[in-house]
Amino acid sequence: MMYTAASYMVEVLSGEDFDEFLRSRIWEPLQMRNTYHDISGVQAGNASDRLAYGYEWNEDRGSLVEIPFVEQPEGQGAGLVFSSANDYARWIRSLIKRAGPIPMAGHKELVKPRTILDEDEEERRPFHSQPLYALGLIVESYRGRNVIGHNGGVSGFRSAMRYLPELQWGVVIFGNSGEAHHLAEALYMHLVDELLGIPVPERIHREGKRQIEEPQSVSGPANTGIKSGLLLSNCTGTYRNAGYHDIRVEVKDGMLFADCSDRTFGFTLTIDHVPGEGFLAEIRDIYSGSKTVIGVDFKVGPHGQAESLGLELEEDMKSELIRFERVV
């Protein structure tokens, strides 16, 4: 959401669409000729034949599943950039050298720490400092050397970008798998240790193991206050929240169901009634098959029909539900 708001601010202040702003102010000056905004930009640039397809591991099938390309307007500012390793290297070179098209004052602001990233103890890495968040970049040190970068990921793709400004060295790694970040991190660590001349016995060794997400449990079902006699048919319809795609709820196999595959991280939503408690929903990733259980409620109008749907979509909001208002 933060990135989306920032991209909107760019449009308001510049008077340009965000994709045109990126093209005219950054990509064209840096001669990034294989970089596009959203899948529609790729198609308009006649670059579809050069696309790499992304894949996710599906545990139920025991195989990789190809991820289809869809328009993802909700990803503006946070993603939606299709590029090549060569093009992205031009961007990193600009950051390392603090060269145009961004002015020097802009480069300084990009790497100025703003907040401290919260890390669990098991996430802390040997020889790394506490990571700090700047403007879309993470600033830290490794064995006394400043390191700046950021990871990225959408369904089927992962990326890693790092640069060491004092050594004028950087790397970008793109992978077309949902688990490519394991290999990207291991490869980056190998390359930077080679650069710094770290003896092999003293290096951090990482294994690119596939990690399967286990279903998560919530602290308890949402306290809806809904009587168990609520008809499922009274909950069907289309619900809208300006920050998310619409959710169309229907009855399927005796439960409420929504197909939400038409968004950046596609999923299905199955809502079941818990006697005496209310409702719980199971979110299932349509590619990996991983499941998460979340709290859910319906606010009901005077005629017994649901007027809004609340979903526990944001983990950091401590069980506060995101509300979708009924529109159909």
Side-chain angles (χ1 to χ4, degrees):
M1 191 67 71
M2 173 181 68
Y3 297 111
T4 303
S7 71
Y8 177 67
M9 181 178 67
V10 168
E11 293 183 327
V12 171
L13 295 178
S14 69
E16 298 179 72
D17 290 339
F18 187 62
D19 57 342
E20 181 54 36
F21 180 91
L22 292 177
R23 178 162 304 286
S24 63
R25 307 293 185 94
I26 297 177
W27 298 341
E28 287 182 353
L30 291 177
Q31 299 183 32
M32 297 171 65
R33 299 189 178 94
N34 290 301
T35 301
Y36 307 91
H37 186 265
D38 211 344
I39 187 63
S40 57
V42 175
Q43 294 165 345
N46 295 317
S48 299
D49 61 334
R50 301 199 301 275
L51 279 175
Y53 285 83
Y55 297 87
E56 291 282 352
W57 178 263
N58 185 289
E59 185 66 14
D60 294 337
R61 299 184 187 181
S63 63
L64 291 169
V65 178
E66 185 178 294
I67 309 301
F69 290 106
V70 296
E71 292 284 330
Q72 301 174 5
E74 72 278 11
Q76 177 169 299
L80 284 189
V81 176
F82 290 74
S83 189
S84 66
N86 284 337
D87 263 21
Y88 209 86
R90 295 175 183 272
W91 168 239
I92 295 178
R93 185 182 300 116
S94 173
L95 295 177
I96 292 173
K97 295 183 176 297
R98 292 193 169 190
I102 297 176
M104 179 58 69
H107 279 290
K108 291 179 179 178
E109 290 297 320
L110 279 176
V111 297
K112 181 189 295 183
R114 313 285 170 152
T115 60
I116 299 173
L117 288 181
D118 185 23
E119 283 190 313
D120 295 331
E121 191 62 35
E122 59 270 17
E123 293 177 334
R124 296 191 180 277
R125 298 171 296 168
F127 306 111
H128 286 78
S129 69
Q130 169 68 49
L132 306 173
Y133 202 77
L135 291 183
L137 293 170
I138 295 173
V139 180
E140 59 186 344
S141 69
Y142 173 62
R143 297 183 185 267
R145 299 285 187 172
N146 289 330
V147 179
I148 302 171
H150 205 297
N151 293 337
V154 295
S155 294
F157 294 92
R158 296 293 184 271
S159 66
M161 182 271 279
R162 300 284 191 282
Y163 67 93
L164 282 64
E166 289 88 352
L167 298 180
Q168 299 281 291
W169 180 90
V171 61
V172 56
I173 303 168
F174 292 161
N176 62 333
S177 164
E179 295 163 6
H181 56 287
H182 300 296
L183 178 58
E185 181 69 9
L187 179 56
Y188 157 69
M189 290 305 307
H190 171 76
L191 292 174
V192 77
D193 282 340
E194 285 285 308
L195 176 71
L196 299 178
I198 306 301
V200 173
E202 299 177 17
R203 298 184 182 186
I204 303 171
H205 294 280
R206 296 180 178 272
E207 295 182 5
K209 293 181 178 179
R210 177 166 51 82
Q211 297 179 346
I212 303 301
E213 293 184 16
E214 296 295 333
Q216 302 176 16
S217 61
V218 294
S219 55
N223 182 15
T224 64
I226 295 177
K227 297 179 181 180
S228 60
L230 178 67
L231 297 176
L232 294 184
S233 59
N234 287 348
C235 297
T236 60
T238 300
Y239 297 83
R240 177 168 299 162
N241 179 296
Y244 299 80
H245 277 278
D246 289 358
I247 294 180
R248 182 175 178 274
V249 178
E250 58 185 347
V251 176
K252 182 179 180 179
D253 298 328
M255 292 183 287
L256 296 171
F257 177 82
D259 182 350
C260 303
S261 58
D262 59 338
R263 55 209 71 197
T264 305
F265 299 98
F267 63 91
T268 59
L269 182 70
T270 303
I271 303 173
D272 196 11
H273 183 258
V274 181
E277 295 287 353
F279 289 87
L280 284 179
E282 178 185 87
I283 290 180
R284 182 183 180 91
D285 187 287
I286 63 172
Y287 305 117
S288 70
S290 62
K291 304 173 185 177
T292 304
V293 177
I294 64 171
V296 58
D297 77 358
F298 290 93
K299 286 188 177 179
V300 182
H303 301 293
Q305 188 174 61
E307 295 182 343
S308 73
L309 164 66
L311 295 173
E312 195 176 25
L313 292 176
E314 302 295 337
E315 183 178 350
D316 293 336
M317 293 181 66
K318 302 185 183 303
S319 298
E320 183 175 343
L321 304 184
I322 304 299
R323 300 224 65 87
F324 292 75
E325 300 301 323
R326 185 191 186 99
V327 292
V328 179

